Amino acid sequence: PGRSIQLPLAEVDAGLVLAGTPDPFTPATVEKKAALRHFQPHAVLISGNAERPARRALNEAALQPDEPMHTLAPAVTAIARDEAARLVSQQRTVELGWDEFNRAWWAVVRRIVLGDHAREDAQLTDLLGTLRQAGNWAYLRPRRRRQRQRFLAEIAAHVRQAEPGSLAAELAAAARNAPGDVDPAGQAPHWLFAFDAAGMATARTLALLARHPEQARAAHEEAVGTDDAAPRLLPYLRACVLESVRLWPTTPALLRETVRDTRWGPRGTSMLLYTPYFHRDSETLPFADTFAPHIWLDGTAASHPGLVPFSAGAAECPGRNVVLLATSTLLAALVAEHDVELVGKPDIDHERPLPATLDNFSIRLRFRARDTGRTSQPST
């Protein structure tokens, strides 16, 4: 009541809205601020136009969005390969459900963001989950102030520790030259929050590869390297992850709000870009319901402004390349020496259109070791 919501249906308009961030289309919408303040009150995504430039600059300094290979690539690679080895190296055949995979993924995330000392700190990310559940109710539920205060205090302690080789250390270093109101530690909750969706995308990518033999062969060929310890760009596996997010967006609704009167309506008008509509538009995308990683490599995806797995414009995810580095490296470690099978549902068949949704919680995967003469071992 009292709110006007515009729903663009042409991808050219979607592109204009995203390119017009933060003025006249701010990402700090009423609904988004109400939801995210439950656990990240000072994050750049919900910062006003006065605070946003300095906080965005801090995020970019730490996350290096324009660099395909972050300076922490050796550390990220080692972490992803280590956790992959813990998952699948102990037996020739290993079957994993979502819970096992997700525990391993959160270990990867905590180590990358906060440092190796946080590997076992599941209580921290469980607390984040509790606060996020409250955030789902936005302004319809009171904030859990005591739990939020404890969560933010623990995050701040990790950032102060600034373990070398972690994003927390990069954040602490970038903050030394930043203005005093940027709240460096207040940016890290969103990194943890966003990394959660990357785990879902990774599991779905494995499910896709398990049922698409041609793409699985290409992924395996790229994954097999001469030096497992060295960071690698892995463009095909990155494309597979991007394609997973195109098919099943982890952020179905991109929200913006006008900060002044526009042709869309008066100041305060909400803009809702429904990403599944653009990502699966069969009228403009001949590959709409197929697994087509090549579109991210040959320029096809770039020609469609409605394909936005990491959003777009000035509010595009600054951690996109760190996420793609972590996910592609984990995938490479898993498929280099194992064949992947999808056990039971969900129903994916490379000869039929892919389903409109995919429940990552129901995914169950079987990894069978290939006869390569090599065996990965987790680090101690």
Side-chain angles (χ1 to χ4, degrees):
R3 299 276 288 158
S4 174
I5 298 178
Q6 294 287 338
L7 187 70
L9 298 178
E11 67 174 5
V12 63
D13 288 329
L16 289 172
V17 170
L18 295 175
T21 300
D23 186 349
F25 304 109
T26 178
T29 69
V30 169
E31 297 82 6
K32 197 180 298 181
K33 288 189 289 188
L36 298 185
R37 278 177 176 165
H38 281 267
F39 60 94
Q40 52 177 53
H42 297 155
V44 64
L45 195 61
I46 57 172
S47 295
N49 284 356
E51 303 86 6
R52 186 181 186 280
R55 289 177 179 170
R56 177 73 188 196
L58 178 68
N59 276 264
E60 292 188 355
L63 297 173
Q64 303 171 17
D66 296 327
E67 299 296 329
M69 298 291 277
H70 195 282
T71 54
L72 294 182
V76 173
T77 297
I79 290 168
R81 296 194 66 83
D82 179 44
E83 295 299 337
R86 293 174 189 265
L87 264 180
V88 299
S89 69
Q90 303 305 310
Q91 306 172 53
R92 288 192 59 79
T93 301
V94 179
E95 193 168 305
L96 301 172
W98 169 254
D99 289 343
E100 297 94 334
F101 180 85
N102 195 42
R103 279 194 294 271
W105 177 250
W106 272 117
V108 171
V109 173
R110 288 190 295 268
R111 292 174 69 182
I112 291 174
V113 176
L114 304 175
D116 288 340
H117 72 277
R119 182 184 187 275
E120 306 297 334
D121 194 0
Q123 289 185 345
L124 177 69
T125 40
D126 288 347
L127 181 55
L128 172 60
T130 299
L131 293 169
R132 286 174 58 188
Q133 287 179 340
N136 286 338
W137 292 89
Y139 36 65
L140 299 179
R141 174 170 289 183
R143 294 172 197 152
R144 301 183 177 188
R145 297 184 185 277
R146 188 172 301 174
Q147 288 177 309
R148 186 181 75 172
Q149 184 178 9
R150 178 160 64 92
F151 171 70
L152 294 176
E154 291 183 19
I155 291 288
H158 283 296
V159 173
R160 283 195 301 272
Q161 184 168 344
E163 182 178 312
S166 70
L167 288 175
E170 296 292 309
L171 182 61
R176 295 189 189 109
N177 299 318
D181 62 349
V182 294
D183 185 13
Q187 309 311 306
H190 189 77
W191 300 357
L192 296 171
F193 165 57
F195 255 121
D196 184 25
M200 299 177 188
T202 306
R204 290 168 175 164
T205 303
L206 286 166
L208 285 164
L209 292 173
R211 293 291 174 85
H212 289 80
E214 182 179 346
Q215 290 87 336
R217 280 193 296 272
H220 170 72
E221 289 171 2
E222 181 177 77
V224 176
T226 56
D227 184 356
D228 289 342
R232 297 167 59 202
L233 190 59
L234 302 168
Y236 189 79
L237 282 164
R238 288 187 179 217
C240 288
V241 175
L242 290 168
E243 185 65 350
S244 166
V245 183
R246 178 189 72 81
L247 289 164
W248 302 295
T250 51
T251 305
L254 294 179
L255 299 176
R256 298 290 186 269
E257 186 175 297
T258 57
V259 296
R260 51 186 169 83
D261 295 351
T262 70
R263 68 181 179 92
W264 299 93
R267 176 180 178 179
T269 298
S270 289
M271 310 296 297
L272 192 157
L273 305 181
Y274 186 58
T275 53
Y277 173 81
F278 296 107
H279 288 194
R280 293 289 197 102
D281 184 1
S282 58
E283 292 186 2
T284 59
L285 307 176
F287 48 83
D289 298 319
T290 64
F291 180 40
H294 69 274
I295 68 169
W296 302 98
L297 302 171
D298 63 10
T300 300
S303 68
H304 291 280
L307 301 184
V308 286
F310 285 95
S311 189
E316 186 175 15
C317 174
R320 57 191 178 273
N321 278 320
V322 176
V323 167
L324 289 172
L325 173 63
T327 53
S328 63
T329 303
L330 182 67
L331 287 168
L334 291 172
V335 305
E337 298 178 11
H338 294 81
D339 291 314
V340 186
E341 302 172 17
L342 184 62
V343 181
K345 294 184 177 181
D347 186 18
I348 295 177
D349 187 335
H350 69 279
E351 295 182 346
R352 299 202 309 266
L354 290 168
T357 60
L358 184 67
D359 176 16
N360 54 280
F361 301 105
S362 68
I363 291 175
R364 191 161 191 85
L365 300 162
R366 183 180 294 131
F367 295 86
R368 295 185 184 276
R370 292 170 177 258
D371 293 322
T372 62
R374 301 188 310 169
T375 304
S376 298
Q377 293 295 335
S379 63
T380 57

